[in-house]
Amino acid sequence: QVQLVESGGGLVQAGASLRLSCAASGRTFSSYAVGWFRQAPGKEREFVATITGSGRGTYYTASVRGRFTISRDNAKNTAYLQMNSLKPEDTAVYYCAADSAPPGRIPTTQAQYEFWGQGTQVTVSS
């Protein structure tokens, strides 16, 4: 069982940066891939980025590639999403999720993730 708590959201202007954190409980955090998803008002939840348990593998959706960076610190049981050059279309509730994936697997769909946090709001004004 893994419990996830997101933090770091807020209201910023376009072009600004934010860093989201995803703190996990449990002693086996490194065995889980961690993903970030987001849900904008009136839209379905969508994949943003994922990182393997070791941290050596990452994958991003095209709209954030080059602006967002996913990382993790397994010693601190925490994953991060550094978001730079934010745009109004990045406004959404951001969720982190954990998947007990086999080493090297890079899950990108919601169905692959077993555990979810409650989300943190990110609002980008123009």
Side-chain angles (χ1 to χ4, degrees), residues 84-99:
N84 298 330
S85 302
L86 282 162
K87 304 176 181 180
E89 51 263 43
D90 295 317
T91 294
V93 177
Y94 283 71
Y95 300 89
C96 68
D99 169 34

Side-chain angles (χ1 to χ4, degrees), residues 7-21:
S7 62
L11 170 62
V12 297
Q13 290 189 328
S17 298
L18 278 176
R19 188 176 80 158
L20 305 183
S21 298

Side-chain angles (χ1 to χ4, degrees), residues 19-104:
R19 188 176 80 158
L20 305 183
S21 298
C22 174
S25 65
R27 295 176 293 175
T28 58
F29 181 62
S30 62
S31 65
Y32 291 86
V34 173
W36 286 95
F37 290 77
R38 66 186 180 185
Q39 187 167 20
K43 296 187 177 181
E44 294 189 354
R45 192 177 300 186
E46 65 173 356
F47 167 79
V48 175
T50 187
I51 187 167
T52 57
S54 67
R56 288 193 285 269
T58 59
Y59 185 78
Y60 301 87
T61 193
S63 63
V64 308
R65 202 169 292 143
R67 300 189 297 122
F68 291 11
T69 302
I70 190 170
S71 62
R72 65 190 298 159
D73 184 341
N74 286 339
K76 295 182 178 179
N77 278 14
T78 303
Y80 305 96
L81 185 68
Q82 177 67 43
M83 306 186 295
N84 298 330
S85 302
L86 282 162
K87 304 176 181 180
E89 51 263 43
D90 295 317
T91 294
V93 177
Y94 283 71
Y95 300 89
C96 68
D99 169 34
S100 56

